[in-house]
Amino acid sequence: MTSPDDARKLEAALPADHAGSVLCRLLIAHPEVVDIEILGQLDLPEGIIYSLGVMLPDGRELLIDVGDV
């Protein structure tokens, strides 16, 4: 399960004003989210796209790309 320390690490990894950090904060608060992993980011002229792996119960994983453009 994502601990408060892990949540702070995720927030530190993503700038506070970006869509990826906002989404991480929302997901961490959800009771069915077991863990969140930052898989990468893509810097484009229009903005940044963050790729997240969200671990759900029973080993299911949700892959999310969120753009801050």
Side-chain angles (χ1 to χ4, degrees), residues 25-69:
R25 285 194 300 272
L26 291 171
L27 289 170
I28 288 170
H30 195 281
E32 290 189 26
V33 172
V34 176
D35 196 13
I36 299 174
E37 181 179 353
I38 300 171
L39 302 175
Q41 76 178 44
L42 178 62
D43 296 318
L44 299 173
E46 300 84 22
I48 301 172
I49 297 176
Y50 299 100
S51 295
L52 306 172
V54 181
M55 299 305 295
L56 302 173
D58 301 323
R60 296 176 290 150
E61 185 173 7
L62 177 63
L63 302 175
I64 299 174
D65 288 333
V66 60
D68 190 32
V69 292

